[in-house]
């Protein structure tokens, strides 16, 4: 094998073996939408259930099927290594209790150490993604999986490696979880601080239409939106890309009109293009736009969304909302105070996020070094 071949995970120490020489590769299937197939006690695994596991044991699942659903889908697997084989490719987890799975996954059943095999496939994520192909979505074939090779030391060495990685990965995962919790608390503190600042003084609540008008943006084709360009394009969920023209020449506050995040708020700096999925706020009075951005976000406009396949809110609904409206001088003070406090919090969040990313990178590198024998344990 060539050292740059993506069909195997190279090792300078351990022998390399194709998966089909020591394991069976099982394919999954999804039962029909018949209600009798769903809502049972059997875990039914799909690629999203494997996201973020990086070879760890599966402990929760979103969907379950009945015995009838099992007969109409894939076989039941009591123990094995499962990974996603179609977009997204390369999520890896371990099955430790009887489970079924869909066609977006494949299961490796072997008498080798499942923890070690899971770590080896986790280290192979980039290779597996490179082996995937397809026009509608990326998918790695059963043949490609069967012929993919990983380092395969003795069973005793596999167990020693797995024990070591279990300990080290757990320590890293604990640190990452602590950082995630810290970041979550910082974001909560930001929201509470902003809400408190906006409400700390008593000012009259007025209908929103008395301080600003709301209009929809203009239609734009997907072909007109590029990854780079002179003018940003904003839609219902924020920045969509860039285009060669603009329909707003000055800074505006935008409200998502349609999409999963409808009701979200963006402070867009002109010139820019606002699509038909964004609502444009045009002040009728002198208003500090930073204050307005936070005041609108505090209203939680997403609650106005109508439950449907395509959630959305209308300009008239937003216009009827009542908003506490302080004098411009007070708006300026509130905006400055909020900006100062959020800048401090965002600096801490950025620092924590950077550390979190470094830990995850260290985890990935460590797994690869150990399963390939480059790092002896």
């Amino acid at each position: 094998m060539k050292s740059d071949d993506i069909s195997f995970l190279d090792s300078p120490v351990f022998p390399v073996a194709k998966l089909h020489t020591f394991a069976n590769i099982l394919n999954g299937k999804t039962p029909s939408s018949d209600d009798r197939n769903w809502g049972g006690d059997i875990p039914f695994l799909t690629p999203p259930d494997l996201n973020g596991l990086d070879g760890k044991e599966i402990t929760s699942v979103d969907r379950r099927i009945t015995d009838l659903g099992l007969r109409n889908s894939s076989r039941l697997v009591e123990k094995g290594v499962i990974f996603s084989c179609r977009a997204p490719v390369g999520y890896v987890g371990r099955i430790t209790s009887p489970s079924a799975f869909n066609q977006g996954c494949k299961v490796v059943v072997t008498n080798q150490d499942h923890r070690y095999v899971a770590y080896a496939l986790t280290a192979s994520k980039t290779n597996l993604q490179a082996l995937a192909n397809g026009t509608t979505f990326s998918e790695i074939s059963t043949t490609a999986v069967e012929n993919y090779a990983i380092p395969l030391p003795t069973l005793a060495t596999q167990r020693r490696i797995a024990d070591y990685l279990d300990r080290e990965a757990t320590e890293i995962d604990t640190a990452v979880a602590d950082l995630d919790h810290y970041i979550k608390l910082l974001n909560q503190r930001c929201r509470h601080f902003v809400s408190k600042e906006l409400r700390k003084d008593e000012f009259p609540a007025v209908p929103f239409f008395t301080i600003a008008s709301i209009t929809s943006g203009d239609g734009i084709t997907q072909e007109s939106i590029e990854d780079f360009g002179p003018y940003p394009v904003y839609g219902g969920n924020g920045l969509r890309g860039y285009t060669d023209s603009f329909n707003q020449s000055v800074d505006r506050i935008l409200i998502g009109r349609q999409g999963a995040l409808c009701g979200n708020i963006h402070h867009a700096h002109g010139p820019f293009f606002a699509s038909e999925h964004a609502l444009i706020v045009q002040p009728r009075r002198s208003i500090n736009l930073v204050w307005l951005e936070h005041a609108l976000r505090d209203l939680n406009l997403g609650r106005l969304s109508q439950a449907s396949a395509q959630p959305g809110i209308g300009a008239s609904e937003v216009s009827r909302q009542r908003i506490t409206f302080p004098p411009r001088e007070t708006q300026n003070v509130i905006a400055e105070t909020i900006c100062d406090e959020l800048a401090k919090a965002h600096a801490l969040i950025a620092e924590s996020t950077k550390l979190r990313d470094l830990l995850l990178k260290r985890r990935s590198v460590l797994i690869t070094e150990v399963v390939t024998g480059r790092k002896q344990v």
Side-chain angles (χ1 to χ4, degrees):
M1 295 181 181
K2 298 178 182 179
S3 60
D4 60 350
D5 194 342
I6 60 172
S7 64
F8 74 106
L9 182 64
D10 194 18
S11 170
V13 178
F14 304 135
V16 175
K18 294 182 178 181
L19 291 180
H20 75 83
T21 64
F22 63 87
N24 292 322
I25 311 300
L26 308 181
N27 295 311
K29 182 182 177 183
T30 301
S32 72
S33 57
D34 188 322
D35 289 343
R36 294 175 297 174
N37 291 327
W38 299 93
D41 298 323
I42 302 170
F44 187 73
L45 305 174
T46 63
D49 296 313
L50 313 180
N51 186 17
L53 290 179
D54 290 336
K56 294 193 291 290
E57 176 184 349
I58 298 168
T59 57
S60 64
V61 60
D62 287 338
R63 307 173 75 187
R64 293 177 181 271
I65 58 175
T66 61
D67 290 336
L68 178 62
L70 178 63
R71 291 196 293 272
N72 292 329
S73 64
S74 62
R75 70 196 80 187
L76 195 67
V77 175
E78 295 189 0
K79 185 178 181 182
V81 178
I82 183 171
F83 69 96
S84 58
C85 61
R86 60 171 60 174
V89 173
Y91 294 165
V92 183
R94 286 188 291 114
I95 297 174
T96 56
S97 60
S99 303
F101 56 101
N102 79 346
Q103 61 274 19
C105 303
K106 296 186 188 297
V107 172
V108 179
V109 177
T110 178
N111 58 5
Q112 303 297 311
D113 190 287
H114 283 194
R115 295 172 302 156
Y116 172 82
V117 174
Y119 281 127
L121 289 177
T122 297
S124 300
K125 183 176 183 178
T126 301
N127 283 356
L128 293 174
Q129 290 174 339
L131 287 171
N133 54 62
T135 54
T136 305
F137 48 77
S138 297
E139 182 173 13
I140 183 169
S141 68
T142 300
T143 300
V145 173
E146 290 175 338
N147 288 308
Y148 185 76
I150 63 172
L152 197 68
T154 65
L155 193 56
T157 300
Q158 292 177 35
R159 289 169 178 160
R160 186 173 70 251
I161 287 173
D163 288 342
Y164 173 82
L165 287 176
D166 282 349
R167 292 192 302 271
E168 295 297 313
T170 297
E171 287 187 8
I172 293 174
D173 291 341
T174 300
V176 169
D178 288 343
L179 285 169
D180 285 341
H181 182 63
Y182 178 58
I183 292 170
K184 180 180 179 181
L185 290 177
L186 285 172
N187 282 316
Q188 289 177 346
R189 185 179 185 280
C190 287
R191 290 192 294 270
H192 293 159
F193 178 84
V194 169
S195 184
K196 181 180 177 182
E197 284 297 307
L198 292 170
R199 292 179 169 86
K200 70 178 182 180
D201 294 315
E202 292 292 335
F203 294 103
V206 300
F208 191 70
F209 66 80
T210 64
I211 66 171
S213 63
I214 300 177
T215 58
S216 294
D218 300 320
I220 184 171
T221 63
Q222 186 60 45
E223 291 74 18
S224 300
I225 302 176
E226 305 289 346
D227 292 335
F228 304 96
Y231 305 111
V233 179
Y234 286 91
N237 295 332
L239 183 66
R240 291 180 57 187
Y242 297 84
T243 192
D244 293 329
S245 62
F246 62 90
N247 58 8
Q248 300 296 313
S249 59
V250 297
D251 293 4
R252 296 291 188 198
I253 301 301
L254 303 179
I255 304 171
R257 185 175 72 85
Q258 277 190 328
L261 301 179
C262 66
N264 67 90
I265 309 299
H266 292 278
H267 189 161
H269 300 282
F272 64 92
F273 191 100
S275 81
E276 73 275 20
H277 294 148
L279 297 175
I280 307 164
V281 178
Q282 300 180 2
R284 301 182 191 273
R285 308 185 194 180
S286 176
I287 297 178
N288 183 302
L289 291 186
V290 174
W291 170 85
L292 181 60
E293 172 190 359
H294 291 292
L296 283 173
R297 191 171 288 129
D298 192 58
L299 288 179
N300 185 25
L301 296 175
R303 61 187 166 78
L304 303 176
S305 171
Q306 299 297 316
S308 64
Q310 177 71 327
I313 58 177
S316 60
E317 295 169 294
V318 177
S319 295
R320 290 193 296 268
Q321 301 303 302
R322 299 183 70 83
I323 186 170
T324 301
F325 190 68
R328 175 61 189 258
E329 295 77 12
T330 304
Q331 294 176 28
N332 294 342
V333 172
I334 293 173
E336 184 176 357
T337 302
I338 288 175
C339 285
D340 288 345
E341 188 67 21
L342 293 189
K344 297 174 187 176
H346 290 162
L348 291 173
I349 291 172
E351 184 179 328
S352 300
T353 301
K354 181 179 179 180
L355 178 56
R356 179 187 187 277
D357 292 343
L358 287 173
L359 285 170
L360 290 176
K361 183 176 181 180
R362 171 57 184 157
R363 187 185 194 279
S364 176
V365 170
L366 179 65
I367 290 173
T368 301
E369 288 180 339
V370 174
V371 298
T372 59
R374 293 184 176 91
K375 177 179 175 62
Q376 298 294 314
V377 297

